[in-house]
Amino acid sequence: MRIAVVHDWFSYVGGAEKVVAEIISTFQKHYIEVFCLVDLLEGNDRTRIYQGRKVNTSFIQKLPFSRKKYRSYLPFYPFAIEQFDLSGFDLIISSSSSVAKGILTHPYQKHICYCHTPMRYAWDLYQSYLKKEKLEHGLKSFFVKMVLHYLRVWDLSTNNRVDLFLANSKYVAERIHRLYKRSAKVVYPPIKVINVEKYSGKRDYYLVVSRMVPYKRIDLILEAFHENPSRQLVVIGTGPELKQLKLIKGSNIEFKGHIDSKEVYDYMKRAKAVIFAAEEDFGMTAVEAQACGTPVIAYAKGGHRESIIENKTGILYTSQTKESIQQAIEQFENSFPEMSIQEFDHLELFSEEKFRNKLTDIVNEQTSAT
């Protein structure tokens, strides 16, 4: 079988990119090519994700400053994704949080879309995006609003190009139904939860591991710790918000930037707890933390509600404010039960093996029905 794996773009290795890597591994016996708008991966990241497969990029890859400013070409995304010729493939698997699901297909092909989320900036985060970028008024605001309106119209019009939607959580499945009027099967993303090395002792610090982008709301966590200098916070990750976030500094806050995955796991295993402030579509890092034996403190909205057992593997707070984060930390330090979170077997739902088996069954079912 010839399989085309389509992803929005590869700029760094995050949760969605790990899903792509696992899709390729699952069907490694078949012929696979990868398609994306832009490919910026280098070195070990390329080997880890693509596993030697051919990578095809769109014309955006060759536009000026595309390595740093590829997001500025957003108005061209729908046109660019439609230019790929996938007529030589039997199966298309798109990994989409933006435009990958809009790839053009033929009647004899099957298209399975693994939807990480319907495009946030055009739907749920539309107003907050405009406010954050100070684009609520003016000529530039008018242009941006027109582009996002066009993206919403295009996004809805491409639903019939997908034969089957897979969602990374029940939360995203509900959003797919609400926005696209389509049902979706939930296939939790693949996470290493089996045989993960753990540390018996914990260090006296809390941890943030995140891409530094606005919707992650890292600013709330930093402000919560800035006002309580007796508690230590380590922040791992990089992104467009990092420079601004570093202005919320304190002697108790340490920025590590980008470090390799082994170091990330070492920090995660030793942390008292890992903290999240975003409304996550799923939240793979929270599951990774629990697999390390580390509790999590997270905003009680979105996918975190599906992976965290309240007051057993973590604490969920209900308001996206620094005050709620501070209260959750107080609750954690004063009343969180001293037990190993490994006593709970819920993490097997999110294992790599579970993902591979479920995806294989779905593909077999879809292709045999052709």
Side-chain angles (χ1 to χ4, degrees):
M1 188 161 55
R2 293 174 61 86
I3 303 174
V5 176
V6 186
H7 188 58
D8 297 310
W9 54 78
F10 294 94
S11 58
Y12 72 104
V13 176
E17 289 69 35
K18 292 175 184 177
V19 170
V20 171
E22 197 63 39
I23 290 172
I24 294 172
S25 294
T26 301
F27 301 105
Q28 59 182 305
K29 294 182 180 179
H30 299 277
Y31 179 85
I32 297 175
E33 287 187 28
V34 179
F35 296 81
C36 59
L37 296 177
V38 176
D39 170 25
L40 306 180
L41 298 187
E42 298 176 344
N44 291 334
D45 285 342
R46 294 188 66 80
T47 303
R48 176 184 172 195
I49 301 301
Y50 303 138
Q51 302 162 54
R53 308 294 176 155
K54 180 181 178 182
V55 182
N56 304 273
T57 57
S58 75
F59 66 84
I60 293 177
Q61 180 89 15
K62 298 179 181 179
L63 294 179
F65 313 109
S66 63
R67 291 195 66 85
K68 292 186 177 180
K69 298 290 185 181
Y70 68 92
R71 293 181 187 275
S72 299
Y73 294 112
L74 176 64
F76 300 106
Y77 284 6
F79 178 74
I81 205 71
E82 291 178 346
Q83 301 315 300
F84 288 120
D85 179 8
L86 304 186
S87 58
F89 294 88
D90 307 300
L91 172 67
I92 290 88
I93 302 177
S94 61
S95 161
S96 185
S97 59
S98 182
V99 297
K101 80 172 183 64
I103 197 81
L104 292 175
T105 59
H106 297 276
Y108 58 83
Q109 297 171 311
K110 284 291 184 180
H111 177 190
I112 298 172
C113 174
Y114 190 91
C115 186
H116 305 279
T117 179
M119 56 175 79
R120 298 185 190 94
Y121 44 84
W123 294 106
D124 295 53
L125 298 182
Y126 172 69
Q127 298 296 344
S128 60
Y129 169 75
L130 294 176
K131 187 177 295 184
K132 180 73 176 178
E133 299 298 324
K134 297 180 172 55
L135 291 170
E136 296 172 283
H137 308 286
L139 184 60
K140 187 177 179 181
S141 169
F142 177 79
F143 173 74
V144 171
K145 289 176 181 178
M146 287 292 291
V147 168
L148 294 178
H149 172 74
Y150 157 66
L151 282 174
R152 285 193 295 272
V153 173
W154 180 86
D155 191 36
L156 290 176
S157 72
T158 60
N159 287 335
N160 60 357
R161 301 179 190 178
V162 177
D163 294 297
L164 176 67
F165 275 102
L166 307 181
N168 65 355
S169 65
K170 295 175 185 176
Y171 174 68
V172 168
E174 290 170 358
R175 293 186 65 226
I176 290 170
H177 184 266
R178 175 166 55 86
L179 294 173
Y180 300 154
K181 310 305 179 194
R182 294 283 301 273
S183 60
K185 291 186 177 181
V186 176
V187 179
Y188 288 119
I191 303 170
K192 184 178 180 181
V193 298
I194 308 298
N195 299 324
V196 178
E197 182 187 0
K198 302 166 185 68
Y199 292 112
S200 57
K202 292 290 185 182
R203 302 281 179 85
D204 190 29
Y205 66 84
Y206 291 88
L207 181 66
V208 167
V209 180
S210 177
R211 177 78 171 153
M212 302 299 154
V213 291
Y215 88 94
K216 294 290 189 178
R217 298 311 311 268
I218 306 302
D219 57 314
L220 297 178
I221 302 174
L222 294 176
E223 289 168 4
F225 277 82
H226 181 72
E227 294 180 2
N228 194 334
S230 64
R231 292 186 177 129
Q232 301 298 309
L233 178 69
V234 174
V235 181
I236 297 174
T238 187
E241 290 273 288
L242 182 58
K243 184 177 180 180
Q244 186 68 26
L245 291 171
K246 282 187 173 181
L247 298 177
I248 313 173
K249 55 188 176 182
S251 58
N252 62 323
I253 301 173
E254 183 180 4
F255 289 89
K256 291 291 184 181
H258 174 75
I259 59 177
D260 66 46
S261 57
K262 183 181 183 304
E263 287 184 277
V264 173
Y265 270 103
D266 285 343
Y267 273 101
M268 199 177 286
K269 292 167 187 174
R270 293 181 171 94
K272 294 174 69 173
V274 183
I275 305 181
F276 304 89
E279 181 180 333
E280 294 285 2
D281 301 308
F282 175 69
M284 293 175 70
T285 307
V287 176
E288 290 172 337
Q290 293 172 76
C292 290
T294 301
V296 296
I297 299 172
Y299 180 42
K301 204 169 183 183
H304 282 150
R305 297 183 65 86
E306 298 174 45
S307 67
I308 300 167
I309 303 176
E310 178 73 50
N311 292 322
K312 293 180 179 178
T313 68
I315 288 176
L316 296 169
Y317 58 91
T318 56
S319 180
Q320 201 177 33
T321 63
K322 66 178 180 181
E323 290 81 11
S324 285
I325 293 172
Q326 290 167 338
Q327 291 168 10
I329 293 170
E330 288 289 343
Q331 179 185 345
F332 174 80
E333 296 208 342
N334 295 328
S335 62
F336 192 77
E338 292 187 10
M339 64 174 73
S340 169
I341 67 175
Q342 301 307 311
E343 296 175 10
F344 307 99
D345 59 6
H346 71 297
L347 295 181
E348 293 180 8
L349 287 171
F350 317 115
S351 71
E352 295 163 321
E353 183 180 6
K354 190 82 170 180
F355 176 87
R356 288 193 294 266
N357 291 341
K358 200 162 186 178
L359 184 61
T360 300
D361 289 344
I362 289 169
V363 167
N364 289 339
E365 178 183 302
Q366 288 293 306
T367 53
S368 64
T370 302

